[in-house]
Amino acid sequence: MKILWGRATVLATALALFLGADTGLQAQGTAFTYQGRLNLNGSPASGTYDFQFILFNVNQFGFPAAPILTNTSVAVNNGLFTSLLDFGGGIFTGSNYWLEIGVRTNGAGAFSTLAPRQVLTPSPYAVFANTASNLSGVLPTAQLSGTFPASQLSGTVPLGQLPAALVTNNASSVNLNGSFAGNGGALTNLQIAALNPPGTFSLLPLYFAPAISYGVGFAPSHVAVADVNNDGKLDLISANLNSSTLTILTNNGSGGFGSNATLNTGNSPNFVVAITNVDGLGHMALVSANNGANTLTVLTNNSSGVFGFNATLPVGTQPECVLVVTNFDNHGHLALVSANSGANTLTVLTNNGSGVFTFSATLNVGNLPWSVITADVNGDGKPDLITANLFGASLTILTNNGSGTFGSNATVSAGDQTYSVAAGDINGDGKVDLICTEYNSAALTILTNNGSGQFVFNATVPAGSGPTYVVTADINGDGKTDLVSANYGASTVSVLTNNGSGVFGSLATLNALAHLQSVSAADLNGDGKVDLVTANYSGSTTLSVLLALPAPVPALSINGGINSPMWRLTSVISGQGALPLTGNFTSGGGTLMIFVSGSGYSPSAGALIGMDIVLDGNPIDSCFIFANPAVTHLAFVPITVRAGALAGAHTIKLVPRAGTTTDGTDYFRVTVQELPF
């Protein structure tokens, strides 16, 4: 059966309201008639049927909004029927309702539900006007005459039912309470912090600039920070798992980076670490843990940033991480320690002081050690070892006897899938505490130290989805140890500040690219503030640099959805290539914040190189850097441009300036954010 149409009509044919007359308003009751048409197998039905009527406030699913009505022995003639319905008082108060109808042959079997539910037209709502106090909707002023005494009005008239001129009396500086709808295009001078309900809008300090990305090899899994060319500026070294390379990005001093070199390693380098003085002559070395080759690769530096192959060192199966331990034997010697996830071991290799490493020991640890760090956990002045055991849900602590021999001190329970561990004095008691990631719980676990190297659970701190790496740093310059986690599942960085007693609050959640696997913290632009850099692992060829702002900048935070094209963040250009490059985007019209970064080189040292940023054919700004040295890829100083745009399609073009050369190794990124003001 299928109902073709239905209409509810009021028993009374007319309702008149005479203002200022003596005639009283007669109550009508709550019943109304429903007229419908019933088809049986495509043809109009005739006969006697039972009908069931159920009122809902949604067009599907939901619960009945009134008692269920059953009308029996309803006559249907040529498909047409009329039935009296009465759901009682207090139902039709202005809400939308749908009527679900069931039908059966008179007195036989179960009811068959007809679809779809029928929306009730306004006619039943006339029963709501059984008293003048219940009037709702719009009453045309043409139907009013004479003067209506204010004393005869009671209750509250909704603002939405009054003309705008009446609401404000054509005056300015009027305070209105209630709900407002519309796009707010005519509103000015809004005080965001005062908007309600509390928490919907808020002004929060922004501590970091938007991420700027730089091209490296494929699937960067870790990034190290070190001064590779001895110019006093911290550079970046990326371990590129799927390229079997290291990428070196040199720093221009302002936190902008350009490609310097690509170095070959063993198969699938998962981690890289820098040694500041590998041979006693002040030379730096880079060491990669090659997960697919069961080796470490040592590359030495000639002090000018040029690295040459030094050695390949065999270690255990699937090294995930490599660590440098200074003065591990109380004789000033260095040691390399690799965490071998396929063997559940650590391999210790000692340096003879001239940059030559030899096997020292194999140490058993927990199940699938993914990372290893060094810290003096028991306060005896000797560097100990701590591993994060991914499938063991534990940390293994190995203490040093002072001669470079490590013994098991403890196995400490940790969170679910512990990828990473960091050390720092969390509660200000002068003792080294431990912090580890809980991948499946989206949290960090804090373990405090009793001073003898024994650790107890202290707290679990929320992080983003899938944290894989955690580092400690003083992010806000208050002298207390804060936490920064790389959240693989969320593609974010969580920054958690410490109140000095080991209690952490969220300072910021920062967006990065792809699924980042690690994060490093250092002052990259020499301003005394801690900056961040992430290795964007999954499907990516980039590192992301997040520079700390000189001072916190108020930023608008909105909780809940925004039904507007505004606030969109669009990646317009992203990737490697040679200039000029062009990207397209669509705007809803208004203010644009355009974030631009790129790189290039010049054949001549000291030349000013860069690129122009052109919006819809009009130059709006430029990025620059001095080319020193020559024929070296350098990152232009990143720039943020504020511009206005009409609604519609737009084009951004990056054009090289005179004397600037770019090629397929240079990386460019343009991101546009629309603001709703």
Side-chain angles (χ1 to χ4, degrees):
M1 299 181 190
K2 182 180 181 183
I3 192 163
L4 296 183
W5 54 266
R7 181 183 300 272
T9 58
V10 182
L11 286 174
T13 59
L15 173 64
L17 174 64
F18 299 95
L19 300 178
D22 292 334
T23 303
L25 184 66
Q26 299 297 318
Q28 296 170 269
T30 56
F32 61 93
T33 57
Y34 185 88
Q35 295 179 341
R37 179 175 178 177
L38 181 69
N39 280 357
L40 179 62
N41 299 324
S43 300
S46 294
T48 303
Y49 292 85
D50 297 338
F51 285 85
Q52 187 178 71
F53 300 90
I54 308 176
L55 196 65
F56 290 89
N57 58 11
V58 290
N59 63 356
Q60 57 181 342
F61 308 116
F63 298 94
I68 298 174
L69 302 181
T70 301
N71 291 352
T72 60
S73 302
V74 176
V76 179
N77 185 16
N78 196 29
L80 302 178
F81 68 91
T82 299
S83 191
L84 183 67
L85 306 182
D86 189 351
F87 291 105
I91 301 298
F92 298 106
T93 59
S95 301
N96 293 326
Y97 286 107
W98 286 262
L99 196 62
E100 182 176 280
I101 303 173
V103 65
R104 69 183 180 189
T105 304
N106 187 26
F111 284 96
S112 297
T113 300
L114 307 182
R117 292 176 183 172
Q118 302 296 300
V119 63
L120 286 182
T121 56
S123 297
Y125 283 103
V127 302
F128 183 50
N130 57 352
T131 67
S133 63
N134 287 334
L135 284 175
S136 65
V138 178
L139 184 63
T141 56
Q143 297 186 19
L144 296 174
S145 62
T147 301
F148 192 71
S151 60
Q152 296 187 26
L153 289 175
S154 64
T156 302
V157 180
L159 293 177
Q161 304 295 332
L162 299 176
L166 178 60
V167 173
T168 64
N169 195 28
N170 291 316
S172 59
S173 302
V174 177
N175 294 322
L176 299 176
N177 297 315
S179 299
F180 300 88
N183 62 13
L187 298 177
T188 60
N189 300 321
L190 288 177
Q191 298 297 316
I192 297 296
L195 293 180
N196 285 318
T200 303
F201 292 87
S202 57
L203 286 172
L204 297 179
L206 188 66
Y207 291 90
F208 291 87
I212 299 171
S213 297
Y214 298 94
V216 291
F218 191 68
S221 56
H222 181 252
V223 56
V225 181
D227 180 8
V228 301
N229 54 2
N230 205 30
D231 64 354
K233 303 163 188 173
L234 292 177
D235 308 305
L236 305 179
I237 308 100
S238 169
N240 311 312
L241 185 77
N242 289 352
S243 299
S244 295
T245 60
L246 303 180
T247 300
I248 298 177
L249 300 174
T250 50
N251 190 342
N252 64 9
S254 60
F257 294 86
S259 177
N260 174 276
T262 298
L263 309 174
N264 293 321
T265 65
N267 187 26
S268 301
N270 196 55
F271 202 93
V272 61
V273 67
I275 305 175
T276 55
N277 185 3
V278 69
D279 55 4
L281 301 175
H283 291 141
M284 169 179 283
L286 299 177
V287 183
S288 65
N290 308 316
N291 182 269
N294 305 328
T295 62
L296 306 181
T297 297
V298 181
L299 302 166
T300 54
N301 187 345
N302 67 357
S303 298
S304 298
V306 178
F307 288 85
F309 174 78
N310 176 285
T312 297
L313 307 174
V315 292
T317 306
Q318 293 182 295
E320 303 290 350
C321 175
V322 61
L323 167 72
V324 178
V325 182
T326 59
N327 195 24
F328 87 108
D329 58 0
N330 207 30
H331 293 293
H333 292 143
L334 297 172
L336 295 175
V337 182
S338 69
N340 312 312
S341 65
N344 297 335
T345 63
L346 303 181
T347 299
V348 181
L349 302 162
T350 57
N351 186 343
N352 66 357
S354 300
V356 177
F357 289 88
T358 57
F359 173 81
S360 172
T362 297
L363 308 174
N364 294 318
V365 292
N367 190 8
L368 212 90
W370 199 267
S371 70
V372 58
I373 62 170
T374 182
D376 179 10
V377 298
N378 54 4
D380 63 358
K382 303 161 189 173
D384 308 309
L385 301 176
I386 308 101
T387 66
N389 307 313
L390 178 61
F391 287 169
S394 66
L395 305 179
T396 298
I397 300 172
L398 303 169
T399 51
N400 187 346
N401 68 359
S403 300
T405 301
F406 295 87
S408 177
N409 171 279
T411 298
V412 181
S413 297
D416 190 11
Q417 291 204 356
T418 304
Y419 274 91
S420 171
V421 60
D425 181 7
I426 294 301
N427 52 7
D429 63 357
K431 303 164 188 174
V432 173
D433 307 308
L434 300 177
I435 311 96
C436 60
T437 60
E438 292 187 28
Y439 184 88
N440 286 343
S441 302
L444 305 178
T445 294
I446 298 174
L447 303 163
T448 51
N449 188 346
N450 68 357
S452 300
Q454 296 178 350
F455 293 86
V456 295
F457 173 81
N458 176 275
T460 298
V461 182
S465 173
T468 53
Y469 204 82
V470 59
V471 296
T472 59
D474 181 8
I475 295 296
N476 54 1
D478 63 357
K480 301 164 186 172
T481 301
D482 305 314
L483 303 179
V484 183
S485 73
N487 308 315
Y488 178 91
S491 297
T492 62
V493 175
S494 293
V495 180
L496 305 165
T497 51
N498 187 349
N499 72 353
S501 301
V503 178
F504 291 86
S506 177
L507 179 79
T509 298
L510 310 173
N511 293 319
L513 291 179
H515 295 288
L516 65 160
Q517 184 153 309
S518 73
V519 61
S520 296
D523 181 5
L524 300 178
N525 55 1
D527 64 354
K529 298 181 179 297
V530 176
D531 308 305
L532 304 175
V533 56
T534 65
N536 307 318
Y537 172 76
S538 181
S540 172
T541 58
T542 64
L543 305 179
S544 290
V545 174
L546 300 111
L547 297 176
L549 295 172
V553 175
L556 180 64
S557 173
I558 300 178
N559 295 326
I562 302 174
N563 298 320
S564 168
M566 302 304 181
W567 300 98
R568 288 180 301 196
L569 190 66
T570 304
S571 179
V572 179
I573 297 174
S574 180
Q576 292 173 293
L579 296 179
L581 293 174
T582 301
N584 301 305
F585 68 98
T586 301
S587 169
T591 302
L592 306 178
M593 299 299 291
I594 306 172
F595 310 102
V596 184
S597 62
S599 62
Y601 67 94
S602 171
S604 303
L608 184 65
I609 60 174
M611 61 184 177
D612 293 326
I613 306 157
V614 181
L615 175 63
D616 297 331
N618 301 309
I620 57 174
D621 217 317
S622 303
C623 293
F624 298 102
I625 193 68
F626 282 101
N628 191 19
V631 198
T632 299
H633 291 266
L634 298 172
F636 309 143
V637 176
I639 191 170
T640 300
V641 185
R642 184 185 180 107
L646 299 175
H650 300 277
T651 299
I652 288 181
K653 188 174 184 179
L654 303 180
V655 180
R657 295 183 66 85
T660 302
T661 304
T662 59
D663 58 33
T665 65
D666 289 300
Y667 189 89
F668 300 91
R669 182 166 177 79
V670 177
T671 304
V672 175
Q673 184 169 29
E674 300 182 64
L675 305 180
F677 43 77

